[in-house]
Amino acid sequence: MSRPTLLVTRRLPPAVEARAAAEFDARLTASDLPMPDVIANSAGADAILTCPGDNFDAELIAALPASVKVIATFSVGFDHIDIPAATARSIAVCNTPDVLSVTTAETALLLILSAARRAGEGERLIRAGRWEGWAPTQLLGVGVVGRRLGIFGMGRIGRVLARLARGIGMTIHYRDMARLPPSLEGDAIFHDNDVSFLGACDVLSLNAPALPETYHWLNADRIALLPRGAVVVNAARGSLVDDAALIAALTSGRVGFAGLDVFEGEPKMSPGYLPLENVVLLPHLGSATVETRDTMGFLALDGIAAVLSGRKPGNLVE
Ligand code: DGY
């Protein structure tokens, strides 16, 4: 029996590629970069497995061959895929929710601690050969234990971050479209407005998806509502932040420290971040562990297999 054809647009972890090759007539690639010729390569393909940064806009989706029935993304975020355009072509879209929540929340916590305790600056000092030894006034940061963490976007990742942060003695405040049920909220404090929420953020973590409503959510007006010297971290999507406003606030000290794993238009980023010592910059490694990336790949393949066999996958984007 012939196997369905799967186009994979990026190099994937070896275990995921092995399973793709075992279950599909898989067209793999050795490249870590977005595939320039998706349309030509998807001729006759039943499914496409793609990644954040591969722009599946309406134009590309409209030009896909009629054979394509499902696009799965190797990510929980699907802002790079035009869902209405896929729906219009009756192409199902799957993503990888849940399996990366812990790993991404770990990255948010890493950013919080690294930014607040100036780990990036310390690293640069040592690597530049400029460290002259311990000194009482050197690289003084702020502690986070006992401080208030405000989470913007209390979804799966935000809730895991809340659990981890409670474990190090932070108190949790959150802002979302609706209040969580008590079983999920625990002792976290819900805010139904930006003024009270941002005023309670000694540390602000952005954990909301990229949506028109969250575009540049952290702008100059909202930054002005934060306590002076607050720590800001973003392990969600770069488009949530107005970079010019955050750079100005980091420069003036209005925001004390920031930790960023994601950037609008990445891998490009606002050059204004680069000379700032008080920002930690990571290359979008939120979900980057071997186990998590394998599990993400397997979940994406599960979704593709389900769609192609006429079943509704649990990871269908609706
Ligand atoms: C996602 O899954 O959306 C992350 O940004 C990549 O792991």
Side-chain angles (χ1 to χ4, degrees), residues 251-274:
T251 305
S252 69
R254 187 75 192 68
V255 167
F257 304 99
L260 306 174
D261 185 45
V262 286
F263 304 90
E264 188 170 10
E266 62 185 53
K268 293 193 184 124
M269 71 178 69
S270 293
Y273 286 121
L274 298 177

Side-chain angles (χ1 to χ4, degrees), residues 3-18:
R3 297 179 305 168
T5 299
L6 169 66
L7 172 67
V8 179
T9 65
R10 300 275 188 105
R11 183 162 71 108
L12 297 179
V16 181
E17 289 195 340

